[in-house]
Amino acid sequence: MTNWTVAVADAARSPLNREYNAEMISRYWGRPANDAEIDAYERDEQDHDVPVFLVASRDGNDVGCLGMRFLDNGVGELTRMFVRVPHRGQGAASALLAAMEEEAKARGITTLRLDTRKDLVEARSLYAKHGYVEIAPYNAAEYSDHWFEKRLTVARPAAMS
């Protein structure tokens, strides 16, 4: 297993965001996205409310990201999961998920949710592998086909004897 460094970063300054957008557009349309499409998405449709953004790196190179926004009642929503192609299958996404779950618990989040599309088969498999279960839709996201949730457990202090 490869060791990953995961740290909080500025979503607006990360080039991983543009790469994520390009891949999501390309996979949806089944063809490469062009700069005008990516620019339009970033201007008009991109999630601008991602207050927690983590980046996974190895050897000083950023290779993946994951964001979280806050919903009501102790619920966080995962978004913008992305790992650059040469680094997929090496544990970066799992490291990002584990780090975000810890970050969520530290911020009082008790449940994580996310939505994803039917064409993102690898993402659905990743979330299921890490204990996320499919739930009924919790939002009306235009491009979503699947919704997942995971209840987070908070470690209890050891009992004093």
Side-chain angles (χ1 to χ4, degrees):
M1 189 65 138
T2 303
N3 291 330
W4 296 100
T5 300
V6 179
V8 175
D10 182 350
R13 294 177 181 232
S14 176
L16 292 165
N17 260 326
R18 188 165 180 89
E19 292 175 48
Y20 167 86
N21 294 334
E23 181 163 333
M24 292 304 101
I25 294 166
S26 296
R27 287 183 69 161
Y28 184 79
W29 293 111
R31 59 166 174 73
N34 62 52
D35 285 335
E37 289 171 315
I38 300 166
D39 291 343
Y41 178 79
E42 290 178 345
R43 182 186 61 248
D44 301 333
E45 299 180 36
Q46 180 180 2
D47 317 65
H48 296 285
D49 61 338
V50 183
V52 182
F53 189 74
L54 301 181
V55 170
S57 61
R58 182 174 61 199
D59 301 327
N61 297 310
D62 293 347
V63 302
C65 61
L66 177 60
M68 179 178 64
R69 67 175 55 91
F70 304 110
L71 305 179
D72 293 331
N73 302 318
V75 177
E77 183 179 47
L78 299 180
T79 186
R80 312 192 78 67
M81 168 63 86
F82 175 74
V83 176
R84 289 178 170 153
V85 173
H87 303 283
R88 293 181 184 170
Q90 299 174 32
S94 294
L96 283 161
L97 271 178
M100 189 62 84
E101 289 174 9
E102 291 305 311
E103 184 72 24
K105 288 190 274 189
R107 292 169 178 262
I109 300 297
T110 57
T111 303
L112 285 173
R113 291 183 178 159
L114 63 102
D115 59 60
T116 191
R117 301 186 330 222
K118 62 186 173 190
D119 61 314
L120 302 177
V121 177
E122 310 91 337
R124 295 193 339 256
S125 175
L126 171 76
Y127 297 125
K129 174 182 163 185
H130 288 280
Y132 290 78
V133 295
E134 197 150 358
I135 60 171
Y138 65 89
N139 64 22
E142 182 178 0
Y143 298 106
S144 295
D145 303 297
H146 298 272
W147 292 261
F148 288 85
E149 177 179 276
K150 181 177 183 178
R151 305 252 180 207
L152 303 178
T153 56
V154 178
R156 297 179 193 225
M160 305 217 21
S161 39

